Amino acid sequence: MQIRTKIAIQFTIIIASILIIFSLAIYYTSENFRKQEFYKRLNDRAIQTAKLLKTLKITEKDKKKLRDANKTILTKLNAEKVLMFNEKDELVYASYEADSILFNPEFLTKVRKRKNVETSDWENQVIGTMYEDEEGKSYVVIASASDTYGKEKLQNILNTLIISFVIGISLTVFLGIIFAGQSLKPIAEINKEITNITAYNLKQKLNTGNNKDEIAHLALNFNQMLERLERSFELQKSFVSNASHELRTPLAAIKSEIQIALENNRSTDEYKVILRSLLTDNQRLIQLTNGLLQLAKSENKDNSLILKSTRVDELLFKAQEEVLSQNNNYKIMIDFDDIPDDDGWVSTNGNEALLLTVFTNLLENACKYSPKHEAEAKIRFNEKHCIVAVKDNGIGIPQSELSKIFEPFYRTQNASTYRGYGIGLSVCRRIIDMHQGKIEVTSEEGKGSTFEVTLPHL
Ligand code: ADP
């Protein structure tokens, strides 16, 4: 079911319920009021008749006159009957003539007991009341009649209520559909605009309308999501072109070196020089493809990441060993800020091979980008985390480039003379993200940098 129809139905149900409640309240109050008013009129009529009968000391013969007077002087009520009984329950007056007048003696007893009794059946309302004459004799007067006028009025009210209800509901359905359509129009428009957005026109944005209501917020959020998508598409594109560029450079170098080597006959020593240069280019290629492979692995969310309790300090020592084995002129110091009481505080639930890649990269960078090739790593911990800080006194990173160094292939201006491809740190960040940790950097150009890896400990 469309939201528009749903809203219209809900709107109608609410209004219908309110209308029904109000109509019932109006109807029952009117009915109650009518009944009470008519009982009062019957009571007056009973007392008036009794007064006339007693104060005028009407004899048996004059009762007919009273009956006529009742009919002419007083406003006649529909199907009106007045009966008057003395203390012995003998009928002393009846406002109508009949062969036999039937009455319920129990009703008389009830009236004597309660002084005033009101009752009604489908057609008539009956009232029984006590009257005391000047001599102190008490009488039961019973008056009954049908409130045709009142009932007609009530029927009128009921008809008006029913007509108002039908008109009200029809209007509500009509207005509900229009109102819901109006409110949902911006969503329909957004839908239309979204259909036109594809991977090739992510620059296109949705209209954010008044910039204030919920729908404007939805469009705003959607636009922000499009911007993020656009950025990641661009990153992807630049990654592919950067990667192919980086691979092409050493391949082109290898090709021209081979071509030059083949142009003339050369001595063994000359061939050796060429082969060494080819080997260096080949190593660069291997390094680059390894880096790309690592990046691809870390990007792949499905890779079955085997996590187990891993000691961070041990990994750091392993990384130190690895870096030093390949660069014997590098110096790496590892130190604890505090000795942990509990091994769990320096252990994390992690993937050994991936975390080793992170620490190797950081230690290698620290040494590589320092003229003295020295790095210092410190381990500390708090209630929740184990933190590894890798510090160097090297070339540092310009402030404006700090946020970019974790992007794939990004290399700072001042690092252009150092070998590298700008892949390592993006791999590190991805791996640390996978471990629910964070990697941060503080640096001052010309003075050095500190990379901090924070991992949740056991
Ligand atoms: P690579 O070192 O291979 O270029 P990385 O991804 O490891 O790639 O580093 C990205 C860039 O960040 C480096 O090119 C360099 O500009 C900068 N960088 C990383 N570590 C340091 C450091 N310790 N000191 C100064 N600059 C650094």
Side-chain angles (χ1 to χ4, degrees):
M1 191 192 280
Q2 280 198 334
I3 295 186
R4 181 183 162 160
T5 324
K6 235 190 232 174
I7 293 178
I9 291 176
Q10 281 170 352
F11 193 56
T12 311
I13 291 175
I14 293 170
I15 301 289
S17 316
I18 295 173
L19 281 181
I20 289 174
I21 291 169
F22 275 106
S23 304
L24 286 177
I26 291 173
Y27 182 80
Y28 282 106
T29 323
S30 308
E31 161 68 356
N32 222 12
F33 182 73
R34 178 202 67 76
K35 247 185 175 169
Q36 289 313 316
E37 198 192 23
F38 197 65
Y39 277 133
K40 206 168 154 288
R41 284 178 71 186
L42 278 179
N43 198 52
D44 288 351
R45 173 57 50 94
I47 298 297
Q48 275 169 4
T49 310
K51 262 187 189 161
L52 276 175
L53 206 65
K54 285 289 133 191
T55 50
L56 298 179
K57 301 220 180 326
I58 284 174
T59 59
E60 197 58 37
K61 283 178 199 160
D62 297 327
K63 278 184 187 164
K64 185 163 176 348
K65 281 186 194 159
L66 177 63
R67 272 199 281 275
D68 296 339
N70 236 345
K71 276 179 207 156
T72 50
I73 303 167
L74 304 168
T75 332
K76 179 94 173 72
L77 298 177
N78 197 302
E80 179 193 310
K81 288 174 186 166
V82 182
L83 301 175
M84 195 166 156
F85 298 88
N86 64 15
E87 283 158 328
K88 292 176 196 157
D89 283 354
E90 290 163 350
L91 183 70
V92 289
Y93 173 73
S95 65
Y96 61 102
E97 284 163 293
D99 294 342
S100 66
I101 290 171
L102 296 172
F103 65 92
N104 184 351
E106 273 173 28
F107 187 70
L108 295 184
T109 326
K110 220 183 206 174
V111 177
R112 276 189 222 287
K113 215 157 101 192
R114 294 209 217 139
K115 306 285 181 236
N116 201 299
V117 178
E118 291 170 350
T119 175
S120 65
D121 59 21
W122 184 249
E123 199 47 48
N124 296 311
Q125 276 177 244
V126 185
I127 185 155
T129 187
M130 295 299 295
Y131 175 76
E132 200 166 302
D133 69 4
E134 286 158 352
E135 292 155 19
K137 286 184 189 159
S138 63
Y139 296 87
V140 173
V141 190
I142 297 172
S144 78
S146 168
D147 186 11
T148 348
Y149 176 65
K151 280 180 183 162
E152 263 169 27
K153 252 171 57 181
L154 198 69
Q155 186 60 45
N156 243 336
I157 290 177
L158 186 66
N159 292 345
T160 315
L161 286 175
I162 291 173
I163 292 169
S164 312
F165 179 80
V166 172
I167 294 176
I169 289 303
S170 319
L171 264 176
T172 311
V173 172
F174 177 68
L175 292 176
I177 290 173
I178 291 182
F179 169 77
Q182 282 286 327
S183 324
L184 296 172
K185 204 168 151 201
I187 293 188
E189 272 163 20
I190 285 182
N191 253 335
K192 222 196 282 163
E193 287 179 53
I194 291 176
T195 325
N196 295 328
I197 297 176
T198 64
Y200 302 102
N201 62 348
L202 289 173
K203 277 207 160 40
Q204 196 174 318
K205 297 286 174 290
L206 300 182
N207 181 5
T208 52
N210 62 7
N211 279 322
K212 282 182 194 152
D213 58 24
E214 288 84 348
I215 291 170
H217 280 152
L218 175 77
L220 224 64
N221 277 337
F222 195 85
N223 284 346
Q224 281 166 3
M225 190 189 78
L226 282 180
E227 270 162 30
R228 286 198 295 274
L229 272 179
E230 198 187 337
R231 266 206 301 279
S232 91
F233 267 54
E234 268 164 16
L235 217 67
Q236 200 94 14
K237 270 191 236 160
S238 73
F239 178 83
V240 174
S241 73
N242 276 328
S244 29
H245 175 78
E246 293 298 340
L247 285 169
R248 217 179 47 193
T249 315
L251 281 174
I254 291 172
K255 185 184 165 195
S256 57
E257 275 169 287
I258 295 172
Q259 276 172 341
I260 292 167
L262 290 175
E263 266 170 19
N264 302 308
N265 283 334
R266 296 178 189 276
S267 67
T268 321
D269 282 348
E270 278 174 331
Y271 278 124
K272 273 189 182 167
V273 172
I274 291 167
L275 281 175
R276 252 183 237 117
S277 161
L278 283 176
L279 188 67
T280 316
D281 283 335
N282 183 266
Q283 269 167 347
R284 270 177 69 195
L285 265 179
I286 292 174
Q287 247 181 6
L288 180 60
T289 38
N290 277 344
L292 287 175
L293 215 66
Q294 279 178 350
L295 194 62
K297 261 193 208 161
S298 65
E299 291 290 343
N300 182 7
K301 285 206 179 97
D302 287 339
N303 62 2
S304 43
L305 186 65
I306 301 162
L307 299 178
K308 61 175 187 157
S309 165
T310 311
R311 278 195 67 132
V312 177
D313 53 342
E314 281 175 11
L315 275 183
L316 205 54
F317 284 113
K318 250 192 205 173
Q320 176 195 37
E321 211 180 292
E322 203 162 292
V323 175
L324 294 182
S325 71
Q326 284 175 21
N327 309 274
N328 45 22
N329 57 335
Y330 284 7
K331 275 190 209 114
I332 299 170
M333 296 258 300
I334 297 179
D335 201 2
F336 277 97
D337 252 9
D338 227 342
I339 303 294
D341 295 332
D342 181 352
D343 281 355
W345 285 47
V346 281
S347 305
T348 190
N349 199 22
N351 181 292
E352 236 185 80
L354 292 180
L355 288 177
L356 187 65
T357 310
V358 173
F359 294 135
T360 316
N361 264 321
L362 294 181
L363 291 175
E364 206 174 336
N365 277 353
C367 293
K368 183 167 76 177
Y369 295 110
S370 311
K372 287 186 180 168
H373 304 305
E374 283 176 4
E376 189 188 344
K378 275 199 170 176
I379 307 172
R380 61 175 207 277
F381 36 84
N382 59 30
E383 285 290 311
K384 286 190 177 157
H385 299 104
C386 174
I387 303 150
V388 175
V390 178
K391 187 173 178 292
D392 66 67
N393 298 313
I395 60 168
I397 300 160
Q399 288 299 310
S400 57
E401 294 179 275
L402 267 182
S403 59
K404 299 179 185 160
I405 57 167
F406 293 101
E407 287 172 14
F409 296 107
Y410 192 85
R411 305 203 69 215
T412 57
Q413 296 284 328
N414 58 346
S416 54
T417 52
Y418 296 79
R419 66 182 164 78
Y421 303 101
I423 295 174
L425 284 183
S426 56
V427 173
C428 291
R429 187 167 71 175
R430 185 72 197 104
I431 294 174
I432 296 300
D433 279 353
M434 283 156 81
H435 285 80
Q436 269 89 47
K438 59 178 181 182
I439 180 165
E440 288 164 317
V441 58
T442 49
S443 184
E444 204 177 324
E445 202 178 350
K447 290 205 168 161
S449 320
T450 304
F451 284 82
E452 256 189 20
V453 172
T454 307
L455 288 165
H457 65 59
L458 295 181

